[in-house]
Amino acid sequence: MPSDTRILIVDDHEDTLYALESALAPLGYQLGRATSGDEALKEVLRGQVGLLLLDVRMPGVSGLEVVRYMRRVEQTQHIPVILLTGFGPDQELTTAAFGLGVADLVMKPVDPWALRTKVRYLYDAHQHHLALEQEVRRLRAQVREHTETAVHPQRPALPHPDVRVPPQRPMGAHAGELEKDRT
């Protein structure tokens, strides 16, 4: 499914960004990068992010804070997030992350094959979800249009039996339109 959305990779270490970009390059998706939580939030709010690979511990705004903010904003609350951590298993972090609705929590170093599989599935599922939402909006507009037409159909007025009586003014006709009809 072609799309102009991209995968945003966020980490404060350049070598990790490079490794993640190298791991995901074979998928053929557009990739973006950010080196801080603030930068990630700006990119996400600009739109066109279809998945976020996000380091948990960064200076300034942490990965968890980014996710907390995203979940409060309607336009970003459904973007899938994979959190990355290099500090090993942490029950408190796991509970907080999944409580915020992240898709996965991955330990560094990352297995490239497993990461590609997860990213492909989550990204494609999100794109299909967006396409379905768009189709639902289109169908609702059609139903609304059809319903409005059925409630207020444009029927021609029946002629009066006496031909000397002028025809009735059509529903919604303005006085100016009526004057044109008389001339």
Side-chain angles (χ1 to χ4, degrees), residues 99-178:
L100 290 170
V102 301
D104 204 355
L105 180 61
V106 175
M107 301 297 157
K108 297 177 189 175
V110 175
D111 173 7
W113 185 86
L115 183 65
R116 280 192 294 269
T117 302
K118 291 174 184 188
V119 164
R120 181 185 303 120
Y121 172 78
L122 290 169
Y123 182 84
D124 289 349
H126 183 63
Q127 295 306 303
H128 289 295
H129 174 79
L130 293 175
L132 285 173
E133 280 183 344
Q134 186 175 14
E135 181 68 8
V136 166
R137 282 192 297 275
R138 186 187 68 75
L139 290 171
R140 283 184 178 154
Q142 281 183 338
V143 167
R144 190 171 34 254
E145 182 181 300
H146 178 73
T147 304
E148 290 171 359
T149 303
V151 171
H152 302 291
Q154 296 294 332
R155 294 186 208 146
L158 295 174
H160 194 277
D162 186 348
V163 292
R164 295 175 290 176
V165 175
Q168 291 182 338
R169 183 169 121 185
M171 280 181 44
H174 297 285
E177 292 173 350
L178 200 55

Side-chain angles (χ1 to χ4, degrees), residues 9-20 34-35 53-59 63 82-90 93 104-112 114-115 118:
I9 304 169
V10 185
D11 199 293
D12 57 323
H13 294 98
E14 188 69 31
D15 56 336
T16 303
L17 285 171
Y18 179 76
L20 292 169
T35 57
L53 275 170
L54 181 62
D55 187 24
V56 173
R57 292 190 174 101
M58 294 181 288
I82 297 175
L83 283 178
L84 304 167
T85 183
F87 291 96
D90 178 346
L93 171 62
D104 204 355
L105 180 61
V106 175
M107 301 297 157
K108 297 177 189 175
V110 175
D111 173 7
L115 183 65
K118 291 174 184 188

Side-chain angles (χ1 to χ4, degrees), residues 5-85:
T5 60
R6 59 192 154 73
I7 296 168
L8 183 63
I9 304 169
V10 185
D11 199 293
D12 57 323
H13 294 98
E14 188 69 31
D15 56 336
T16 303
L17 285 171
Y18 179 76
L20 292 169
E21 287 172 336
S22 297
L24 297 177
L27 294 176
Y29 298 131
Q30 290 182 2
L31 302 175
R33 60 165 41 199
T35 57
S36 71
D38 285 330
E39 191 179 340
L41 281 172
K42 289 175 187 173
E43 288 295 318
V44 167
L45 290 172
R46 284 186 190 118
Q48 305 309 317
V49 172
L51 182 119
L52 195 60
L53 275 170
L54 181 62
D55 187 24
V56 173
R57 292 190 174 101
M58 294 181 288
V61 178
S62 75
L64 284 177
E65 290 170 316
V66 170
V67 177
R68 277 189 194 98
Y69 185 81
M70 287 175 58
R71 296 309 185 229
R72 291 190 307 244
V73 177
E74 186 177 347
Q75 76 187 52
T76 62
Q77 62 185 285
H78 297 294
I79 296 173
V81 175
I82 297 175
L83 283 178
L84 304 167
T85 183

